[in-house]
Amino acid sequence: MSLKTKNVFLTGGAQGLGRSYIDALLAAGARAFFIDINATAGEKTEKELKEKYGKESVKFQVADCTNFPMFEEAFTAAVNFLGYVDLMVNNAGLMNESKYEEMIDLNFRTLVKGSFMAAEHMRKDKGGKGGRIINISSMAGLEDIMIVPVYSATKHAVRAFTSGLAMAPDIQQQGIEYGILCPSPAATDMFMDIDDIKVRHLDSYPQHVRKAMMAPVECIQKGFMKLVSLDQMNGAILYASHTELTFRKMDNVNLGETWPVKQEDCSTSASKKLEMLLRHIEVIIQTRTSRGGHSNSCPGNVWTVWPTPELKTGNGPLPLLILNGNR
């Protein structure tokens, strides 16, 4: 999909990954309206982006999207500024296990509100022009993460909620496509400033391990643009890191009728994990080799495609696909 002349509404855009998404969208020819609770950072970002892309290309409004009347006001302001919202990006989020109620509210409840609000605006069967909604999940929405159990739960909820919407039998009539981005930890304040209050069992992840896991912001930005630019996006779940940009789905694995599971009953799962590990190591080696051995390079030609030819289903909702397993 070409982004030229498209209009975007994005939450949590003042800094970090949100800002990088807006920058890339504007560079591709889109116009953007973004909100954030941080007025100082938002105004600074707005000023810099206007200088770079023009005064009419972008607008910022301070808003707390957990305050639904304020969120609705901001969306109306976006429609007034842009004329129409073609792309909704629910990006605002928090990772702090000590503030779990606030985290659940922002990471999931607000995202549900934003999705429904944008869908009502976009639905062709209700007078809209159609559009796309991208919800930001996380690598923690693909795995069980012991150091951030509540954060992980909210991101699993984001993925399941969005996938469910994408499977609606009348999705073609609605004219809406849903996509999910699952970034690995990135070199932003959210992840760089973690401590044993924000996460649990921090000592299980030594500093050098945490550093190795961090992806440069531009790698996640690249994954976001890959997702949003797909000709057909509905139902896609894209995992983005500094080593790979691959599409995913979740599997419901039958482990039998007894617990704990016997080791021999896990042989298939174990072999799959080994295969996935080897695949991942191979991708890392290929990426580092192609990028001159730099471990922080973004992935090059390691794209997978969406949707895959053998899984296209005519006019119905597209099934989810995994082309390599969860890490």
Side-chain angles (χ1 to χ4, degrees):
M1 183 185 81
S2 172
L3 292 166
K4 195 170 184 179
T5 74
K6 297 298 183 183
N7 299 313
V8 182
F9 181 91
L10 183 142
T11 67
Q15 54 195 340
L17 292 177
R19 174 180 173 144
S20 79
Y21 301 153
I22 296 173
D23 201 338
L25 289 164
L26 294 174
R31 296 173 71 224
F33 187 106
F34 70 97
I35 63 173
D36 202 289
I37 198 170
N38 189 329
T40 302
E43 289 166 2
K44 180 175 181 290
T45 293
E46 180 188 39
K47 180 176 182 294
E48 292 172 354
L49 292 176
K50 281 184 173 181
E51 290 173 354
K52 187 175 181 180
Y53 296 106
K55 291 184 178 181
E56 294 302 312
S57 64
V58 61
K59 186 174 178 61
F60 165 70
Q61 183 167 311
V62 62
D64 176 3
C65 46
T66 63
N67 180 325
F68 284 1
M70 185 180 288
F71 196 6
E72 291 170 351
E73 248 178 61
F75 191 83
T76 299
V79 173
N80 291 336
F81 174 71
L82 299 168
Y84 186 80
V85 174
D86 300 289
L87 172 65
M88 172 73 168
V89 183
N90 287 300
N91 170 71
L94 170 70
M95 189 179 74
N96 188 331
E97 293 292 304
S98 70
K99 298 181 178 180
Y100 61 88
E101 291 179 325
E102 182 180 343
M103 189 161 54
I104 293 170
D105 203 26
L106 179 59
N107 291 6
F108 185 58
R109 182 170 169 267
T110 292
L111 180 139
V112 171
K113 171 66 175 178
S115 298
F116 287 157
M117 187 164 56
E120 285 300 304
H121 171 73
M122 295 174 178
R123 286 182 65 146
K124 288 183 177 181
D125 55 353
K126 293 190 175 183
K129 302 176 185 177
R132 291 185 166 187
I133 297 172
I134 291 182
N135 289 332
I136 308 300
S137 180
S138 166
M139 180 183 80
L142 298 171
E143 302 179 6
D144 301 327
I145 310 294
M146 70 174 181
I147 64 171
V148 284
V150 180
Y151 176 79
S152 181
T154 65
K155 295 304 184 177
H156 275 263
V158 168
R159 175 190 48 73
F161 165 72
T162 311
S163 293
L165 293 178
M167 295 169 66
D170 62 343
I171 197 71
Q172 296 295 322
Q173 289 72 34
Q174 292 181 33
I176 298 174
E177 291 186 288
Y178 293 91
I180 306 162
L181 182 68
C182 296
S184 69
T188 62
D189 289 345
M190 177 184 284
F191 293 104
M192 299 296 283
D193 296 339
I194 62 172
D195 54 34
D196 54 9
I197 295 175
K198 294 180 180 178
V199 305
R200 302 178 179 213
H201 315 295
L202 185 59
D203 57 349
S204 300
Y205 287 78
Q207 188 172 3
H208 72 278
V209 174
R210 300 199 301 270
K211 185 177 180 181
M213 291 173 62
M214 296 293 174
V217 168
E218 57 266 27
C219 294
I220 309 303
Q221 180 193 64
K222 189 174 182 179
F224 173 82
M225 293 303 290
K226 171 67 176 179
L227 179 64
V228 75
S229 300
L230 289 170
D231 290 333
Q232 297 181 55
M233 186 191 74
N234 191 48
I237 304 173
L238 182 66
Y239 168 67
S241 74
H242 61 300
T243 59
E244 59 182 290
L245 300 169
T246 49
F247 294 101
R248 305 298 179 99
K249 79 170 185 130
M250 300 304 292
D251 290 325
N252 183 359
V253 180
N254 184 345
L255 296 178
E257 299 179 354
T258 60
W259 190 266
V261 178
K262 295 179 181 179
Q263 186 63 38
E264 55 267 26
D265 293 337
C266 295
S267 57
T268 301
S269 178
S271 64
K272 283 185 178 179
K273 287 183 178 179
L274 177 59
E275 180 184 346
M276 288 185 266
L277 177 60
L278 293 174
R279 169 70 181 267
H280 186 62
I281 292 171
E282 180 184 355
V283 170
I284 292 174
I285 293 171
Q286 290 175 351
T287 303
R288 290 181 175 175
T289 301
S290 65
R291 297 294 179 180
H294 299 295
S295 61
N296 285 333
S297 298
C298 297
N301 297 320
V302 293
W303 298 115
T304 54
V305 295
W306 180 266
T308 54
E310 66 272 19
L311 289 181
K312 288 184 179 179
T313 55
N315 294 324
L318 294 167
L320 304 180
L321 169 72
I322 183 168
L323 292 182
N324 68 333
N326 294 341
R327 290 168 56 192

